[in-house]
Amino acid sequence: MNKTQKVLAAFLVLIILFTGAVLSRIWLFKPQSAVQLVKLPAGEYNIETWGKNYPLYYESYQKNLETAPSPTGYGGGINIQKSERQPELFVNFKGNPFSKDYTEDRGHQYAMHDLRESKRIGPAAKGACVTCKTPYLEQFYQEMGWGYASRPLNELMDRAKDHPINCANCHDPETMGLRVINPAFIEAMQRRGIDVSKASREEMRSYVCGQCHSEYYFEPGTFKVIFPWDKGLTPQEMYEYYSGKPNGFEYDFLQTDSKVPVLKAQHPDYEEWQNGVHGKFGVSCADCHMPYMRKNGQKYSSHWMTSPLKTLNESCSPCHTQGQELLFNQVKAYQDNTWQLQHMAGENVARAHEAIQKASQIPNVNQTELANARELLRRAQWYWDYMAASNSMGFHNPVQGLNTLGQSIDLSHQAVNAANKAAGTNSL
Ligand code: HEC
Ligand code: HEC
Ligand code: HEC
Ligand code: HEC
């Protein structure tokens, strides 16, 4: 070997060693995938069976059983009544079961238990309520189509009882591919011109969550679940949609005192995120709520779907280099600002209900002005509740959130003025 050959040989050895190291690292850290110990058939809803094939994923999913407050103090996976911090809920939901029982959301495994225990559910409750609580939805829909939605809830709960939300809600058991099983989401997307069955994996990383973490209403008579997205996903667009009395749906309940026909908002997390900076820039729910983790040399995506602030490093640092403390403080600042306005907006809604009630008791009240006041308050309450019912305390979309609450406060003031005008007590 001459000198050049020696250098070349040494170089070759180095390249081989380097490639070997890279390959073994990729091999070692590749996602724990189809180590098929048991064949999972279509319709496999038992989490234990899935767990045998994917122990790391199962283990991290079981962390959803932990109950702990959010590190910022807003929400978190704990079972507390929202009215403890927002007594205005008693007024704003008077005439609706939400005034009796309205708890913070917690981990997915509690979904069936919390549904059964909810004081909002009576013997007349309908099957539609299991839609976002169990993978059995797939079977119910296969058997009955939308007919499941008007079956008695107790009957469906008895069949699905030991199987709250799990792997089969988001994964096809035969291929492990991501999937969406809620027909309400699929239909709403279809009406917006989007075919969910053709979605990319990246899109599915948000769709799987959006199938449940979204606003909906029940079609009168059939209890079919419908997402109000035909005109768009902002609070304004959804309000316009509801104003058209879609499918004969007019309101969720009449507030007892003011007789305002109220729309009750339900966790519009997907909607809020979609219009926010992360949604617009293509950052998916899974990017933050299911970050990549490593254990025993294996890489896997966390299935502990909770506050990303508990895993700030894994959740945010792949994209943000600002440092944990700065990021945490920024989230907290958004939330503090949102909370302050949300609480204020809720109290203003409550005051407007009282003003309208008072006005309506006056003989010869101006009925046109009174109707005007009720419409203004209906909109004010929707804007407030869009924020109060969504779960991130403003983080998913701080700009839209503060705008929405500002509008709510103004509309409540306008409603009080209109009520006073109707009563002849004063105008402006
Ligand atoms: C950029 C990161 C990010 C993205 C993307 C994101 N979230 Fe969040 N999410 C957060 C943060 C931060 C919070 C606030 C956590 C806290 O208060 O501790 C949060 C809160 C939540 C909560 C409330 C948790 C609780 O404490 O009760 C839910 C539910 C939620 N997100 C669902 C979603 C869904 C569904 C999507 C996609 C449609 C999504 N998130 C997209 C970061 C994100
Ligand atoms: C709420 C939806 C949801 C639930 C419930 C869920 N997963 Fe996942 N899972 C996902 C998403 C989203 C990904 C993709 C993460 C990524 O792209 O890195 C994923 C990825 C995986 C992967 C990696 C292979 C792949 O296709 O990327 C495995 C294995 C897996 N999940 C197993 C499970 C098991 C086992 C359960 C039940 C214990 C479960 N999952 C429950 C949403 C879910
Ligand atoms: C099948 C419906 C369904 C799907 C799919 C779903 N969720 Fe949930 N999620 C719920 C329900 C219902 C609750 C509240 C359960 C309770 O409080 O009993 C919840 C609670 C949560 C919480 C609160 C837990 C905590 O610790 O604060 C977070 C965060 C969350 N979901 C995020 C997600 C993310 C992210 C995805 C997608 C990867 C997702 N969810 C998919 C229905 C769903
Ligand atoms: C996949 C990449 C990605 C991840 C993960 C991610 N972000 Fe972002 N984030 C962005 C992008 C892109 C922007 C838009 C502006 C920019 O380029 O900084 C942004 C903007 C922000 C902003 C400022 C803008 C605003 O109005 O919200 C904050 C605060 C923020 N992110 C916090 C977080 C936190 C907290 C997490 C983890 C829970 C997180 N991000 C996770 C990509 C990401």
Side-chain angles (χ1 to χ4, degrees):
M1 260 199 231
N2 63 25
K3 201 174 167 196
T4 330
Q5 281 172 326
K6 274 189 195 153
V7 172
L8 273 178
F11 199 58
L12 202 68
V13 168
L14 269 179
I15 289 182
I16 291 170
L17 282 177
F18 179 71
T19 320
V22 169
L23 282 181
S24 67
R25 202 176 152 84
I26 290 174
W27 181 76
L28 272 175
F29 289 136
K30 80 174 195 269
Q32 180 193 20
S33 58
V35 205
Q36 289 278 359
L37 303 176
V38 187
K39 181 147 177 44
L40 296 176
E44 178 59 68
Y45 303 130
N46 190 353
I47 191 170
E48 312 296 339
T49 317
W50 291 70
K52 284 189 192 127
N53 285 357
Y54 308 103
L56 263 183
Y57 292 81
Y58 171 78
E59 219 176 86
S60 88
Y61 196 70
Q62 291 302 85
K63 282 180 79 102
N64 290 309
L65 287 164
E66 284 178 20
T67 53
S70 148
T72 61
Y74 294 105
I78 43 175
N79 200 19
I80 53 159
Q81 289 290 338
K82 294 195 186 213
S83 53
E84 278 179 26
R85 292 184 76 181
Q86 302 172 80
E88 60 272 21
L89 297 187
F90 291 121
V91 177
N92 299 352
F93 297 140
K94 200 167 169 185
N96 182 275
F98 272 101
S99 63
K100 285 189 239 157
D101 188 5
Y102 192 6
T103 52
E104 267 299 328
D105 59 348
R106 53 178 177 161
H108 288 148
Q109 280 91 328
Y110 292 106
M112 288 300 286
H113 174 270
D114 290 347
L115 175 65
R116 196 179 281 279
E117 296 292 306
S118 171
K119 293 192 194 73
R120 297 203 300 273
I121 303 293
K126 298 296 182 190
C129 304
V130 298
T131 304
C132 283
K133 308 290 187 290
T134 171
Y136 268 79
L137 167 69
E138 183 191 31
Q139 200 175 89
F140 297 150
Y141 189 72
Q142 276 165 3
E143 278 175 26
M144 301 174 245
W146 275 114
Y148 85 85
S150 54
R151 301 294 309 160
L153 176 61
N154 279 331
E155 175 191 312
L156 303 190
M157 278 203 298
D158 285 346
R159 284 179 60 187
K161 60 175 179 268
D162 296 328
H163 304 284
I165 305 166
N166 68 35
C167 328
N169 279 93
C170 305
H171 291 283
D172 179 331
E174 291 173 299
T175 66
M176 277 317 276
L178 291 176
R179 70 171 184 184
V180 162
I181 60 169
N182 184 355
F185 180 83
I186 297 167
E187 289 175 7
M189 293 298 264
Q190 224 160 36
R191 291 198 301 279
R192 293 175 53 72
I194 298 165
D195 181 349
V196 173
S197 70
K198 298 211 170 72
S200 66
R201 182 185 170 92
E202 198 44 46
E203 287 166 332
M204 289 305 283
R205 285 159 54 86
S206 295
Y207 287 179
V208 289
C209 317
Q211 64 178 319
C212 298
H213 285 266
S214 301
E215 155 70 5
Y216 64 85
Y217 67 98
F218 295 147
E219 180 177 67
T222 66
F223 293 91
K224 179 180 163 177
V225 181
I226 306 179
F227 289 9
W229 293 352
D230 296 19
K231 289 182 190 285
L233 276 61
T234 65
Q236 288 83 350
E237 287 162 337
M238 292 206 273
Y239 191 81
E240 294 318 320
Y241 169 84
Y242 278 129
S243 298
K245 304 197 169 103
N247 304 298
F249 175 82
E250 293 185 41
Y251 55 82
D252 286 293
F253 69 99
L254 278 182
Q255 204 274 4
T256 316
D257 299 334
S258 66
K259 306 287 183 286
V260 169
V262 176
L263 297 166
K264 174 74 194 81
Q266 322 278 349
H267 39 72
D269 299 320
Y270 180 83
E271 293 89 334
E272 197 189 24
W273 158 85
Q274 208 234 17
N275 285 302
V277 70
H278 288 102
K280 289 277 186 240
F281 282 49
V283 183
S284 68
C285 315
D287 282 326
C288 295
H289 287 276
M290 303 180 68
Y292 289 111
M293 300 280 184
R294 291 206 154 111
K295 190 171 179 186
N296 304 332
Q298 277 186 312
K299 179 177 161 187
Y300 68 102
S301 54
S302 164
H303 277 53
W304 184 24
M305 295 151 195
T306 185
S307 167
L309 302 177
K310 294 178 191 162
T311 50
L312 211 142
N313 199 29
E314 292 84 353
S315 289
C316 318
S317 302
C319 300
H320 293 287
T321 51
Q322 291 90 343
Q324 296 203 23
E325 204 184 329
L326 261 176
L327 270 178
F328 180 88
N329 290 343
Q330 189 58 16
V331 176
K332 173 99 167 61
Y334 287 155
Q335 293 189 326
D336 288 343
N337 281 296
T338 306
W339 162 247
Q340 191 187 16
L341 278 205
Q342 179 188 305
H343 191 35
M344 192 188 285
E347 287 179 331
N348 274 290
V349 167
R351 260 179 237 129
H353 279 297
E354 283 155 24
I356 292 178
Q357 181 192 27
K358 263 199 205 135
S360 68
Q361 287 161 349
I362 289 178
N364 306 325
V365 60
N366 180 330
Q367 290 295 344
T368 316
E369 272 304 329
L370 193 63
N372 183 25
R374 288 191 175 121
E375 169 55 28
L376 286 162
L377 180 51
R378 172 175 151 98
R379 191 186 274 264
Q381 178 147 354
W382 167 254
Y383 283 4
W384 159 73
D385 205 12
Y386 185 101
M387 292 307 295
S390 57
N391 285 299
S392 73
M393 191 52 80
F395 172 76
H396 290 147
N397 193 347
V399 175
Q400 176 183 283
L402 293 176
N403 174 287
T404 306
L405 292 168
Q407 300 220 32
S408 172
I409 293 168
D410 179 49
L411 286 159
S412 287
H413 288 170
Q414 290 189 46
V416 171
N417 285 337
N420 289 344
K421 209 165 149 193
T425 39
N426 80 26
S427 61
L428 284 184

